[in-house]
């Protein structure tokens, strides 16, 4: 069963869900498989189909992976926002406070999330050219977004996180992923949502991001 959403509604209301993940309701394997089937209809460079999806639902393994998630967050990995980023991040009052509150909630409850999805792609991009990087990431990101849209259509919530980044090798080892050959692209909590009434997000005006003919 899917939600009664138009394509525009689906695209504009597939939110990063943290506080409204239903932590007590298991996600059927069949729904996850449906989402993966749709995800792998996404474009893929040279038809190489290098994508993989590792799904974790076993309680003990979720606790192990959840611990890695928490420790990875504590590293504060990633470059800080730039002077250009900050005005955009705080353009709408309260938005960043809500995101921070949601992240704290997810940090406290990550072990209770019924499923984790770790999308991965064959090939590593460390030291690669921009061309090779774009070809690799371009063969996994569309598929992951398709997965997230498919999940939303089925009443499931997701949130793209890069928490695996600082401890990617440890997470790869925990999941039996050959780290030297495969990159873990994201760490996505997955659950049914508490309610389905999500709304479009506040964004900066189109005029600030749309460029005609040149920058």
């Amino acid at each position: 069963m899917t939600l009664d959403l138009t394509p525009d509604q689906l695209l504009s209301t597939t939110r990063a869900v943290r506080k409204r993940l239903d932590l007590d309701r298991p996600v059927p394997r069949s729904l996850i498989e449906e989402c993966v089937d749709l995800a792998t209809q996404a474009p893929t460079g040279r038809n190489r189909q290098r994508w993989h999806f590792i799904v974790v639902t076993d309680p003990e393994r979720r606790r192990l992976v959840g611990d890695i998630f928490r420790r990875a967050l504590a590293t504060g990995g990633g470059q800080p926002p730039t002077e250009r980023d900050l005005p955009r991040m705080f353009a709408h009052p309260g938005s960043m406070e809500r995101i921070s509150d949601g992240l704290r909630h997810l940090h406290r409850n990550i072990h209770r999330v019924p499923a984790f999805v770790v999308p991965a792609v064959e090939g590593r991009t460390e030291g690669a050219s921009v061309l090779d990087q774009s070809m690799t990431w371009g063969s996994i990101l569309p598929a992951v977004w398709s997965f997230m849209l498919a999940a939303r259509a089925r009443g499931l919530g997701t949130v793209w996180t890069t928490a695996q980044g600082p401890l990617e090798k440890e997470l790869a080892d925990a999941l039996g992923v050959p780290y030297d050959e495969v990159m873990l692209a994201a760490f996505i909590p997955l659950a049914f949502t508490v309610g389905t009434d999500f709304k479009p997000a506040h964004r900066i005006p189109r005029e600030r991001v749309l460029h005609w003919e040149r920058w």
Side-chain angles (χ1 to χ4, degrees), residues 50-66:
R50 291 178 169 181
W51 43 45
H52 296 269
F53 294 83
I54 303 104
V55 180
V56 180
T57 58
D58 174 76
E60 287 300 321
R61 193 168 297 275
R62 280 193 287 119
R63 275 190 281 273
L64 171 64
V65 171

Side-chain angles (χ1 to χ4, degrees), residues 130-150:
V130 172
L131 173 60
D132 286 336
Q133 290 184 50
S134 63
M135 290 174 66
T136 299
W137 288 103
S139 289
I140 185 61
L141 298 185
V144 179
W145 180 232
S146 291
F147 178 92
M148 297 169 80
L149 291 171

Side-chain angles (χ1 to χ4, degrees), residues 26 29 41 43 53 56 69 71 74 89-90 103 138-139 192 208:
R29 178 172 179 153
Q41 289 296 312
F53 294 83
V56 180
F69 174 89
R71 288 188 286 108
M89 292 168 62
F90 293 92
L103 183 57
S139 289
F192 282 101
R208 293 177 61 183

